[in-house]
Amino acid sequence: MKKSYLWVSAAILAGNGLSAQEQQKDSIPLQELQEVVVSDSKFELKRENSGKTVIKITANELERNQGRTVAEIINTKSGVEIAGSRGRDGDVLGVFARGGRGKQVLVLIDGVRVSNPSSFSPEYDLRLLSPSTIASIEIIKGAASTLYGTNAATAVINITTKKSVKKPIAGNFQTSVGTSQTAEDQNYNLGSFANSVSINGTLDKFSYAVDFANRYRSGLSASVTPENEEDIFSHFSTNARLGYQFSKDLEVSVYGNQTKYSNEYDASSVDAPNLGKSNQKRVGVSSSFGYGKGSIQLNAAYTEYETNSKDTFGESTTEGDNIVLDLYNKYVFDDQWHTILGVNYSKDETVFSDEAEFTIFDPYANVVYVSDFGLNLNVGGRLNTHSEYGNHFVYNVNPSYVFSTPEGYVKLLGSYATSYITPNLTQLFGAFGGNPDLEPEENRTLEGGIEYAINKKFRVSALYFDRNEKNTIGFDQNFMSINLSDEINANGVEVEASWQAFDALTLDANYTFTERKGDNAIRIPKHKANLNLGYQLCETTNITLNYAYTGERFDTDFSTFTDVALESFSLVNLYIGHELIDHKLSLFLSADNLLNEDYTEIIGFTTRGRNFRIGMNLNL
């Protein structure tokens, strides 16, 4: 399709948007500075009472990022680098938080840990996520194994899915279309499509929700080759949730999900007819029973994973399943002591030459003290009980102190916490290098910082972290999995600022410095910065301009098996949203890599050049 068709389509949408009458009475705030955070305590606490600098991605921010993947959205936050998020949709993603690896980042969906037990790596595949089903995301950085168990060493990504509205029936439909092109080949062919539809509501005590989403990307080759033969990625997701409010104190909901994707890919610098397929099926239950100043919470899910790969080396299929259960009691004493007493159980299973499995049974406790004179204290411990290696204890101590000012507050915070990463089934029992005598990896994180807020309009924070890894799982000269004797140290600084200059203008910025010692720190930039400017042009139109800087970092060139320094690069993105009908119909136009910068993210693999996307969001 010639580029003129895209520009005509964009002009029609823009023309309709500019000619529409302004029907919205109150403009939507671009940024909510007075946040309530949950992830660092499992209680809803005001941000000033939290001992962490928790990042919250709200529904408004997700709406202003329509068409982008979850990985792209998270990659704009401090302390996090997701390699592969700027390439072809379908590329394998590497999540690096605070100088760590993907196995040190835990992903939760509605309070339940998700990970594929048959995978070589224990990290969750973010390609399975669909942004249209998500209500909000909280990111807590640092060691959090006390509350969340294994893998919560450098960050926890806590995803909350959308719930039912209170009226009998409501519907939503989103669709978008865009280009898929490199910086060198600006052909403006439409190769990116995304759609989602949902129906939900509440009938007396009964609630329901059903949604479907898909996305399709073509036009780009996974690897950089002269032929640039396109590799297609397609993704489908279906969710259903049913809930019943038995009384004002008891609510139970059950849900099911199936997500699958098909991904064509290449070996580095070689076009090859490789195809990978992934299928995730998940059922779960969530319930809450309230009593006085307490409540009992249950989150549990059973998930099946199937991955099929067909490439130049042959065809292979892996299957695995796990069950995860988190049961805990919340109670508040004297409106100051917020207590958690819980137990977490999980069982991972897969098949190599024989069936392999392990179980984890972890009792844990956590207490948050919120004083009336400024002191806040978050302390807790967890006894990890593993069927293979026995017991391992982790703990956290997280004090903070708030000095109230006439117009806001100053918060001093510190933390000392330990965490662990359980060896996965492949490392324990895999056909190649399995070692059942492995011990868990151990992390220790020390951090301290300051946060200053004024009038709910301005907030700035600066934090220093120092993290130590030991018992890291690697390989010996015979490629057997072992606990390495060498330790790894990572430290750095994270600076964040949010400013609502006036009602229509907001500014968000962050900067991260990260230094990792002990290995070659592959794909971890030492310097990274993001600047986000939001402007409410009128009551119905908003504009968001984003600048992202990624500094120099190293990557391995597997053609020579040497580490190569990759040049820094900067990307500029633009988003324009317009509401045609008040709370009913909105349109958007986005431009990614607006300046069409040509850069390398991962050696041998394609990155996206300037691309445009147009779409609509309809509420019924």
Side-chain angles (χ1 to χ4, degrees), residues 12 35 56 71 95 105 120 137 193 200 258 266 289 293 318-319 395 460 467 487 496 514 540 553 579:
I12 291 173
E35 298 169 347
K56 187 164 185 177
V95 183
V105 176
F120 179 79
I137 302 173
F193 305 88
N200 66 93
Q258 181 175 19
D266 301 322
F289 173 70
K293 294 185 177 182
T318 62
E319 296 180 351
Y395 62 94
V460 61
R467 185 172 55 81
E487 297 186 10
E496 301 176 6
T514 306
T540 56
R553 63 250 173 259
E579 196 168 36

Side-chain angles (χ1 to χ4, degrees), residues 13 63 65-67 175-177 575-578 586-590 613-617:
L13 285 177
E63 183 177 341
N65 282 277
Q66 290 182 69
T175 186
S176 65
V177 59
Y575 177 92
I576 302 174
H578 183 81
S586 60
L587 307 175
F588 76 89
L589 169 66
S590 66
R613 175 176 291 273
I614 54 177
M616 61 167 284
N617 184 32

Side-chain angles (χ1 to χ4, degrees), residues 1 67 89 174-180 189-196 213-218 233-235 613-614:
M1 180 179 293
D89 195 3
Q174 296 180 19
T175 186
S176 65
V177 59
T179 61
S180 184
N189 290 336
L190 299 181
S192 178
F193 305 88
N195 301 281
S196 69
N214 81 287
R215 70 181 191 267
Y216 174 92
R217 301 285 174 91
S218 63
F233 176 81
S234 61
H235 175 282
R613 175 176 291 273
I614 54 177

Side-chain angles (χ1 to χ4, degrees), residues 124-342:
Y124 184 68
D125 189 348
L126 294 178
R127 293 173 294 182
L128 289 164
L129 295 174
S130 177
S132 62
T133 65
I134 297 174
S136 65
I137 302 173
E138 282 191 350
I139 304 172
I140 175 174
K141 289 170 292 184
S145 284
T146 298
L147 278 178
Y148 297 109
T150 182
N151 303 105
T154 61
V156 174
I157 300 174
N158 188 8
I159 296 170
T160 302
T161 59
K162 293 179 179 178
K163 302 301 187 290
S164 305
V165 299
K166 296 302 181 182
K167 60 183 181 180
I169 186 169
N172 175 264
F173 173 70
Q174 296 180 19
T175 186
S176 65
V177 59
T179 61
S180 184
Q181 57 196 11
T182 65
E184 292 183 350
D185 185 12
Q186 291 282 288
N187 53 48
Y188 293 93
N189 290 336
L190 299 181
S192 178
F193 305 88
N195 301 281
S196 69
V197 60
S198 67
I199 299 175
N200 66 93
T202 302
L203 303 170
D204 194 18
K205 297 181 178 182
F206 173 74
S207 62
Y208 65 94
V210 179
D211 63 70
F212 169 81
N214 81 287
R215 70 181 191 267
Y216 174 92
R217 301 285 174 91
S218 63
L220 295 179
S221 172
S223 62
V224 178
T225 63
E227 297 81 10
N228 191 33
E229 182 180 343
E230 68 176 9
D231 293 307
I232 294 173
F233 176 81
S234 61
H235 175 282
F236 300 90
S237 174
T238 304
N239 298 275
R241 178 182 289 268
L242 301 175
Y244 195 81
Q245 188 82 40
F246 288 92
S247 67
K248 66 180 182 65
D249 296 321
L250 177 61
E251 180 181 7
V252 178
S253 63
V254 294
Y255 58 86
N257 160 267
Q258 181 175 19
T259 302
K260 55 184 179 180
Y261 67 74
S262 175
N263 180 40
E264 297 179 351
Y265 62 95
D266 301 322
S268 180
S269 302
V270 178
D271 270 330
N274 301 331
L275 178 65
K277 294 184 177 181
S278 184
N279 190 358
Q280 171 191 278
K281 299 177 182 178
R282 189 164 180 256
V283 294
V285 60
S286 176
S287 68
S288 175
F289 173 70
Y291 63 94
K293 294 185 177 182
S295 65
I296 299 174
Q297 309 283 328
L298 170 66
N299 294 310
Y302 172 78
T303 310
E304 293 181 349
Y305 299 88
E306 180 180 342
T307 303
N308 180 270
S309 299
K310 184 178 182 180
D311 54 32
T312 54
F313 301 101
E315 185 172 356
S316 64
T317 298
T318 62
E319 296 180 351
D321 61 79
N322 57 18
I323 182 169
V324 179
L325 180 148
D326 191 23
L327 175 67
Y328 57 95
N329 181 78
K330 301 167 62 176
Y331 196 84
V332 179
F333 294 92
D334 298 326
D335 297 325
Q336 292 183 318
W337 298 88
H338 300 72
T339 63
I340 295 281
L341 186 64

Side-chain angles (χ1 to χ4, degrees), residues 416-447:
Y416 184 94
T418 59
S419 59
Y420 67 99
I421 299 97
T422 299
N424 65 4
L425 287 170
T426 300
Q427 294 166 332
L428 288 168
F429 308 115
F432 302 99
N435 180 3
D437 295 325
L438 290 173
E439 295 293 322
E441 298 185 17
E442 300 177 36
N443 274 229
R444 181 273 303 154
T445 299
L446 174 68
E447 58 185 82

